[in-house]
């Protein structure tokens, strides 16, 4: 978290008593506070405690204010207002630093979110997590292993006992005591002053007294959404699929005069918008693309991005070096000449570079469209859990019980979520085991911090790591465990478990690939018609042959993919659909490649005899009488269950997504399937759509859920690749243009 930067000009939103308290402390801390922003027209141009009131909140959207103000503090106790203002202003380009009074005592391993405010005399004990936009007045204590989720407000003199989980936007009054032993204080709860909490508090209640009792259930704060005046367009999920759809749509109307504003909602369950899991906070600043830049982006986007990289590389590399460890520094040094010469195409550049580029691009584009009066855009941080039809459009039900009405809805929720392997939680902590089911939830950095704490607590005991899945994520986690200072040295052995027992290939053999010919696929070139199975069988044979002669996918992927791609024109529609649903992804799994920097790390571990690879399928983790945990797996070679003979202490699940035939499909998708609004296709990871990318009237799909379809005559399967996402988002943006401007 950025705490304070005395060089930057700062304002406080709200010139009331709370704002005045913060003004005193900020000035004491030497911050360059130049004024208040306050919506009270009587205060405009006047001074409050000697500090000028410069304007109202909305003035911060004007260029003249953006030019003179860099940082914004918003110590407003109403959680929803504070979060909305700060998250909106962040998107407008303002800094939103946190503020910790110099008397605050924070244990070194506490995880702190963004824009956290703590006044005098607070004490935060070890192994505590404090989310974004948390605000704590003076003299409170947060005991060890407690968690305060995003947006929590605590008044003065509050005591939160050990291990208690305070959920989003809880408002805790003065002098409240939450006794150790309770598990959680619910989302959006209001706890009256002096309450003594002795049992768990459900979501959305008002609680008071000693012992605390529920007085009433609160009505969730309503987002203004009128069934008779629905928004035009709502995106559920804000990753690169929705961003490229919005970008390409706005580019199309850039110079167009519009008769009325198009109202757009963007909903995401995570606090960051536009970047999705791979390119924003959830992945962090120190992980790389899984392909070279040349293979990641198509032209003309590639050229524009490279030009942007050339201009921005110094600060990007600086951030990358700061957030990464030894291996990140190594990557920069290894490629310094190429970077110096702006020769980016062969590099597996850090993913966040692309995220930063996209963020800048879409912010500019939206700001232009807003200025021209073409759109109004509304960001909603919430999980969508259900849809119902409403006057030809949809009613979107959010987990926080708010409802959004929209004429058109786009499901841009990314791939199906990670399939949990063991117990039903993203992270399971036991005394001698840390099991990470989803390394990107809530964020990779926070998970790595947990891992660091776990291995550090083991003191002199050896730690064995198991990574389940030998795909890009598996390699990424192996890399990061060796990159973060302090973790790798405490790890004894790294084991990867994967069905094939093979790692993604990294180094192309430039010489031998020149002479490699996919003979089995070539033999089909004269056939007038083919079946999907015939093409797939020939592909498998060519892949087998490449394995036999030790030529890995890094050398053959381009050759084999173009060879089978050229044959797809010989399939009739039904066979093409079969290829998309059944064989495309399966072939892809055998063509996995990785960056050299990731594979070099494994080579090093092999040299140190600290790496092992088991060919098998995860069954479970068993606890022995010694309290140690052991892996049980289905051995690929023998087809029998086996138990590893060394204990495992840290397990990271990288097996990838679930599918529509499993029971763990997320609530929203389970509901839209059950109501018949969406029909999963035979790929089991995609939903059937028509040429307008509609699963039902006015319910569109974009991104990985398009797998298994035929669009513009092409078979679509692996919609994870950025180039394919840009293509499909363009198709959808054209549909939107037709609907809003041509119909
Ligand atoms: C760790 C990782 C690394 C990757 N690296 C690469 C790479 O290097 N190169 C490459 O080409 N591809 C990569 N990919 C593939 C990636 O999936 C796609 O490139 C792309 O990010 C998909 O974009 P999206 O917008 O469709 O989905 P996502 O990026 O997954 O975004 C979907 C968004 O929807 C939100 N959401 C989901 N459900 C709901 C709900 N019910 N309500 C509200 N919000 C919801 C999520 O919070 C998320 O922000 C990577 C993927 C991951 C996970």
């Amino acid at each position: 978290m950025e705490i304070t930067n005395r060089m930057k000009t700062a304002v406080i939103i709200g010139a009331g008593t709370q704002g005045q308290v913060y003004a005193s402390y900020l000035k004491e801390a030497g911050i360059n506070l130049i004024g208040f922003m306050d919506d009270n027209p009587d205060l405009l141009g006047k001074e409050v405690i000697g500090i000028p009131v410069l304007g109202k909140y909305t003035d911060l959207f004007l260029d003249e204010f953006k030019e003179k103000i860099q940082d914004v503090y918003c110590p407003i106790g109403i959680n929803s207002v504070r979060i909305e203002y700060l998250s909106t202003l962040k998107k407008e380009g303002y800094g939103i630093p946190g503020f910790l009074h110099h008397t605050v005592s924070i244990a070194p391993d506490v995880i702190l979110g963004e824009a956290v405010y703590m006044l005098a005399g607070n004490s935060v004990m070890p192994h505590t997590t404090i989310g974004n936009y948390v605000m704590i007045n003076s003299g409170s204590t947060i005991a060890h292993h407690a968690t305060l989720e995003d947006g929590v407000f605590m008044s003065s003199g509050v005591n939160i006992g050990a291990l208690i989980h305070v959920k989003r936007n809880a408002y805790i009054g003065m002098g409240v005591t939450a006794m150790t032993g309770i598990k959680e204080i619910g989302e959006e709860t209001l706890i009256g002053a002096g309450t003594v909490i002795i049992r768990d508090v459900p979501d959305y209640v008002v609680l008071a007294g000693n012992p605390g009792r529920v007085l009433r259930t609160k009505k969730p704060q309503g987002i203004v959404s009128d069934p008779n005046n629905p928004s035009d367009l709502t995106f559920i999920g804000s990753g690169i699929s929705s961003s490229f759809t919005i970008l390409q749509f706005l580019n199309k109307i850039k110079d167009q005069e519009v008769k009325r504003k198009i109202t757009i909602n963007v909903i995401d369950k995570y606090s960051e918008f536009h970047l999705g899991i791979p390119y924003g906070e959830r992945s962090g600043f120190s992980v790389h693309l899984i392909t070279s830049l040349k293979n990641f982006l198509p032209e003309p986007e590639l050229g524009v991005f490279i030009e942007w990289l050339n201009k921005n590389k110094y600060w990007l590399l600086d951030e990358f070096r700061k957030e990464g460890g030894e291996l990140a520094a190594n990557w920069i040094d290894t490629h310094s000449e190429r970077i110096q010469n702006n020769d980016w195409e062969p590099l597996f550049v850090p993913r966040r570079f692309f995220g930063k580029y996209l963020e800048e691009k879409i912010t500019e584009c939206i700001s232009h469209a807003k200025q021209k009066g073409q759109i109004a855009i509304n960001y909603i941080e919430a999980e969508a859990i259900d849809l119902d039809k409403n006057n030809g459009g949809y009613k979107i039900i959010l987990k926080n019980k708010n409802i959004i009405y929209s004429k058109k809805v786009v499901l841009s929720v990314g791939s199906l979520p990670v399939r949990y392997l063991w117990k039903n939680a993203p992270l399971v902590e036991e005394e001698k085991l840390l099991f990470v089911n989803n390394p990107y939830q809530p964020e990779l950095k926070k998970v790595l911090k947990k891992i660091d704490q776990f291995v550090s607590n083991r003191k002199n005991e050896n730690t064995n790591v198991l990574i389940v899945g030998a795909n890009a994520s598996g390699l990424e986690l192996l890399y990061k465990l060796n990159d973060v200072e302090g973790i790798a040295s405490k790890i004894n052995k790294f084991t990867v478990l994967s069905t094939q027992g093979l790692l993604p290939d990294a180094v192309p053999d430039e010489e031998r690939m020149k002479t490699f010919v996919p003979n089995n696929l070539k033999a089909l070139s004269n056939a007038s018609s083919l079946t999907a199975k015939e093409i797939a069988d020939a592909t498998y044979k060519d892949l087998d042959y490449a394995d036999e002669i030790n030529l890995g996918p890094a050398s053959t992927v381009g050759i084999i993919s173009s060879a089978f791609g050229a044959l797809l024109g010989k399939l009739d529609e039904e066979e093409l659909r079969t290829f998309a649903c059944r064989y495309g992804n399966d072939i892809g799994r055998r063509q996995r490649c990785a960056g050299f920097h990731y594979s070099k790390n494994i080579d090093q571990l092999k040299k140190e005899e600290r790496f092992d690879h088991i060919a098998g399928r995860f069954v479970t983790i068993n606890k022995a009488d010694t309290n140690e945990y052991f892996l049980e797996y289905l051995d690929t070679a023998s087809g029998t269950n086996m138990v590893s003979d060394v204990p495992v202490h840290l397990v990271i699940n990288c097996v990838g997504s679930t599918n529509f035939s499993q029971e763990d499909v997320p609530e929203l998708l389970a509901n839209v399937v059950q109501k018949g609004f969406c029909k999963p296709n035979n790929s089991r990871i995609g939903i059937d759509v028509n040429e307008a990318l509609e699963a039902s009237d006015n319910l569109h799909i974009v991104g990985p859920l398009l797998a298994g379809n035929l669009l513009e005559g092409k078979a679509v399967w692996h919609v994870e690749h950025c180039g394919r996402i840009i293509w499909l988002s363009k198709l959808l943006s054209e549909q939107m243009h037709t609907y809003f401007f041509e119909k």
Side-chain angles (χ1 to χ4, degrees), residues 313 334-347:
K313 63 185 171 189
T334 310
H335 300 296
S336 60
E337 201 177 321
R338 282 194 195 278
I339 294 170
Q340 192 65 30
N341 297 331
N342 296 329
D343 181 14
W344 296 97
E345 286 193 12
L347 300 185

Side-chain angles (χ1 to χ4, degrees), residues 139-407:
S140 293
T141 307
I142 299 154
H144 62 92
H145 292 92
T147 299
L148 307 190
E149 284 192 5
D150 290 357
V152 167
F153 172 87
M154 279 171 36
S155 195
S156 300
V158 173
N159 293 306
I160 299 289
L163 293 144
I164 296 177
H165 194 116
V166 185
K167 288 167 73 184
R168 279 170 46 84
N169 292 2
Y171 186 104
I172 301 181
M174 193 181 281
V176 168
T177 297
M179 310 286 277
T180 295
I182 69 161
K183 284 203 193 88
E184 64 178 37
I185 298 176
E187 195 172 325
E188 301 270 0
T189 44
L190 173 60
I191 314 290
T195 303
V196 177
I197 308 176
I198 57 163
R199 58 179 72 90
D200 285 0
V201 184
D203 293 345
Y204 294 107
V205 298
V206 178
L207 191 95
N210 179 5
R213 287 190 210 304
V214 173
L215 298 187
R216 63 186 162 87
T217 301
K218 282 201 310 171
K219 255 194 161 166
Q221 285 156 9
I223 291 170
V224 186
S225 188
D226 179 356
N228 299 315
N229 187 19
S231 305
D232 291 307
L233 176 60
T234 299
F235 290 88
I236 303 179
S238 182
I240 64 166
S241 297
S242 70
S243 296
F244 273 105
T245 309
I246 296 172
L247 264 175
Q248 298 183 90
F249 175 69
L250 294 183
N251 274 339
K252 229 172 149 48
I253 60 168
K254 198 169 179 195
D255 302 315
Q256 201 167 329
E257 288 309 320
V258 297
K259 292 203 185 93
R260 66 169 185 94
K261 250 186 212 167
I262 295 171
T263 49
I264 302 175
N265 299 313
V266 184
I267 304 175
D268 203 293
K269 60 184 176 184
Y270 182 72
S271 55
E272 181 185 49
F273 287 81
H274 295 310
L275 305 182
I277 300 166
Y279 309 102
E281 287 290 329
R282 277 171 282 186
S283 285
F285 224 115
S286 63
V287 286
H288 297 258
L289 291 178
I290 58 172
T291 57
S292 66
L293 185 56
K294 186 175 173 12
N295 291 325
F296 173 67
L297 269 185
E299 292 289 7
E301 200 69 51
L302 177 63
V304 183
F305 179 44
I306 287 180
E307 214 170 282
W308 183 89
L309 277 177
N310 298 342
K311 280 195 210 129
N312 292 279
K313 63 185 171 189
Y314 294 111
W315 71 267
L316 286 169
L317 289 165
D318 203 34
E319 297 268 11
F320 176 65
R321 198 186 280 276
K322 264 191 219 144
E323 206 178 297
E326 199 185 326
L327 298 181
N330 219 317
W331 184 86
I332 299 178
D333 296 342
T334 310
H335 300 296
S336 60
E337 201 177 321
R338 282 194 195 278
I339 294 170
Q340 192 65 30
N341 297 331
N342 296 329
D343 181 14
W344 296 97
E345 286 193 12
L347 300 185
F348 287 57
V349 300
R351 288 209 293 275
R352 194 58 181 274
F353 290 10
F354 182 67
K356 287 284 171 191
Y357 159 78
L358 186 61
E359 197 169 39
E360 193 176 301
K361 192 170 159 133
I362 194 155
T363 309
E364 262 175 42
C365 196
I366 287 175
S367 166
H368 172 85
K370 269 172 34 186
Q371 268 169 25
K372 280 199 80 177
Q374 293 172 320
I375 59 160
I377 192 157
N378 186 19
Y379 291 97
I380 301 159
E381 188 195 331
E383 182 177 351
I385 53 167
D386 203 357
L387 290 187
D388 269 323
K389 296 220 171 173
N390 176 67
N391 288 335
Y394 289 89
K395 171 179 166 184
I396 304 162
I397 296 128
L398 306 181
K399 194 167 183 186
N400 62 16
K401 300 194 175 60
N402 283 327
I403 288 175
I404 310 286
Y405 296 92
S406 186
K407 291 179 196 159

